[in-house]
Amino acid sequence: MEQSNANSNRSALYSLITVWFFWGFSAASNGVFIPFCKAHFHLTQFESQLIDFTFYGGYFIGSLVLYYASQITRVDILNKIGYKNAIVIGLIISAVGALLMVPSINSGVFGFILGSFFLIAIGFSLQQTAVNPFIVALGPPETGATRLNLAGGVNNFGSILGPVVVSFLLFGSASGNSNAIVSISSVNTLYWILVVLFVALAVFFWVSKLPKVTSDEQIEPSSKANLPLFVIFIAFCMILAATPVSQAITNSTLSSKGVVVSNDLINKYAASSIDEISKLNLGATVKSNLIEYVKTLESYKSYLVYGALLIIVLTLIVASSRATKQKEGWGAMRYPQLILGMLAIFTYVGVEVTIQSNFGALLNTSAFGSIPEKGLAPYISLYWGSLMIGRWTGAIGVFNMSKKTRTVMTVLVPYIAFAVVLGANAISHADIMKILPYGICVIFLIVGFFLGQEKPIRTLTIFGLLGVSFMIIGLLTNGIIATYAFVSGGLCCSIMWPSIFALSLAGLGKYSSQGASLLIMMILGGSIIPPVQGILADGANGIVPGMSGIHFSYIVPLIGFAYLAFFAWKAGAELRKQGIDIDHIETGAGH
């Protein structure tokens, strides 16, 4: 009977991890889809980043709705409807979002596309919230990390294939050598395929005899945490409304000055840089007015975007200060390591996403080889492959090996994973010689693992500082060296999720579940930080002589890595104050 249950759970596990593949596939595909949308809809770099804003914002809104619903009803909503049913509902929501993408693309209205992305992500949010505890419950708690690492590996495999497959469907090739022009029908084909896959998975889970998994964990009240979370939601809405609000204020401001710019010129050139506008064959007055319009518009957008980021950071700082002084009513947020960790997850996810989301625009500049949209797939795939390389290496720790075997595997596994990345690109006829020398960068990952010794504080500090170093190299150089340096940010990000989780949840006791939910909510960083880098890229041309705005904007992930290194030190100090033995906190599974 026990053997039968074990086989049933194993079958359930293999079924559940299929959804992880599609999370990785979809998220990584944005790196190819964003440059396509930027060119097709004539978007600014900021506007193109609204794709990731709505995608990761959907995760935040979905988690926020579940959080407030649980707080109001004092009932675990997912436990009430069942994890299996939640996964099915989530897949159906994602299928509806993918289905709506077809008429959205045909309409030519970018806002409709963002709405469809948002709906897909809402479904993903519900799936992820249900699948994580489901997988952990399919066996002994002490091996939960092993199962999550397996699922994470499947997620990363989807991340590698996503850019390659999407590039093939859009351009007919992943190599960049094809001269095919993207047709709307090829984009429609991509989303029809996703609709069919999401529906098929939903039906599969609906008819599958998965074991019933429930939780008897009580919802801890945290009424004082509601206001900070609502303020963060308002900041999220500020970025969502940044473009229309900025346009309205700009029109009002310039109208009061007597500056007139026609709607035709605005629609045609608002996404252009000042340098591009200055070269246009327009009358002096018309050109001057258009430049003033673009400058004013970008200024107001910057105020809103940077203001939203500042609000989020200050809200968490103020909440931490108040919760430390008066713990009653704050729930899990009474612990300073959790609030520091919320900001760390926000930063980490934002850095991980923004490096690749802005990468297409960077590689398209002359300093980086003027690589067209159809040639981006190998580099986007390599970035997400870097995350897989690190996570596969991190998974070694969950197996019972001798010290010598573990040492050998720590050296071999990264290159086995790198070979998988090369193989995926070779199958799609991409020129792997362009990415083969990247194997040298993997050495830094291996050295980092040996120095980190599977201790979260040491590991996070090392890879945070490595990330800072890679970003500095990327900012100070051009071409393939800078490209590899920025891609190496993926190696540094690969191990951060489990380290941040381990430090943030240490010592929370009965508040651990609520703390984990708040940390997952901070995936919001993937929604906020890419537009922050995008708005900086639009306005940073000329700040550093000879450096494009998009190149300079990579100072954003540099700052992010610096905070993550700081978090490791600060969280360690807070845990020491609480008498927690930080040297025996081990890292868990990646996300």
Side-chain angles (χ1 to χ4, degrees), residues 317-340:
I317 291 174
V318 171
S320 179
S321 175
R322 292 183 177 178
T324 301
K325 295 174 182 176
Q326 179 62 48
K327 299 182 182 295
E328 191 65 30
W330 282 96
M333 290 181 74
R334 70 182 61 195
Y335 293 94
Q337 66 264 33
L338 176 67
I339 295 184
L340 287 166

Side-chain angles (χ1 to χ4, degrees), residues 329-399:
W330 282 96
M333 290 181 74
R334 70 182 61 195
Y335 293 94
Q337 66 264 33
L338 176 67
I339 295 184
L340 287 166
M342 289 171 67
L343 188 54
I345 288 290
F346 176 91
T347 303
Y348 149 69
V349 176
V351 166
E352 179 180 287
V353 174
T354 199
I355 289 175
Q356 70 92 27
S357 293
N358 288 280
F359 209 43
L362 178 71
L363 295 180
N364 195 235
T365 62
S366 58
F368 283 79
S370 301
I371 299 173
E373 287 80 8
K374 57 180 175 284
L376 296 177
Y379 299 98
I380 301 297
S381 173
L382 180 63
Y383 176 75
W384 290 104
S386 297
L387 292 161
M388 184 185 77
I389 291 168
R391 286 170 186 160
W392 282 19
T393 308
I396 293 172
V398 302
F399 297 102

Side-chain angles (χ1 to χ4, degrees), residues 197-317:
L197 290 175
F198 287 145
V199 171
L201 272 175
V203 172
F204 173 76
F205 280 112
W206 180 257
V207 301
S208 296
K209 294 182 179 180
L210 298 178
K212 184 175 178 58
V213 177
T214 59
S215 169
D216 57 2
E217 191 167 354
Q218 298 297 310
I219 301 297
E220 291 289 342
S222 54
S223 56
K224 291 182 180 177
N226 292 338
L227 180 59
L229 293 176
F230 180 72
V231 173
I232 291 173
F233 170 72
I234 295 299
F236 170 82
C237 292
M238 283 175 61
I239 295 182
L240 183 63
T243 295
V245 169
S246 298
Q247 288 173 338
I249 298 174
T250 298
N251 291 335
S252 176
T253 301
L254 297 185
S255 178
S256 66
K257 294 180 178 180
V259 176
V260 179
V261 182
S262 71
N263 288 330
D264 287 341
L265 284 175
I266 291 173
N267 293 334
K268 192 172 183 180
Y269 297 116
S272 303
S273 68
I274 302 301
D275 289 340
E276 290 170 339
I277 293 174
S278 64
K279 297 174 183 177
L280 295 174
N281 186 23
L282 299 172
T285 301
V286 174
K287 187 183 297 185
S288 175
N289 288 351
L290 182 58
I291 288 174
E292 185 171 358
Y293 178 90
V294 171
K295 283 183 176 179
T296 305
L297 180 65
E298 292 306 317
S299 294
Y300 285 126
K301 277 185 188 177
S302 299
Y303 297 151
L304 288 169
V305 173
Y306 296 147
L309 179 62
L310 184 62
I311 287 171
I312 291 171
V313 174
L314 290 179
T315 297
L316 291 175
I317 291 174

Side-chain angles (χ1 to χ4, degrees), residues 32 162-175 186 374 377 427-429:
V32 173
V164 174
V165 172
V166 170
S167 184
F168 183 82
L169 288 172
L170 295 184
F171 305 109
S173 170
S175 65
S186 63
K374 57 180 175 284
I427 291 172
S428 65
H429 305 294

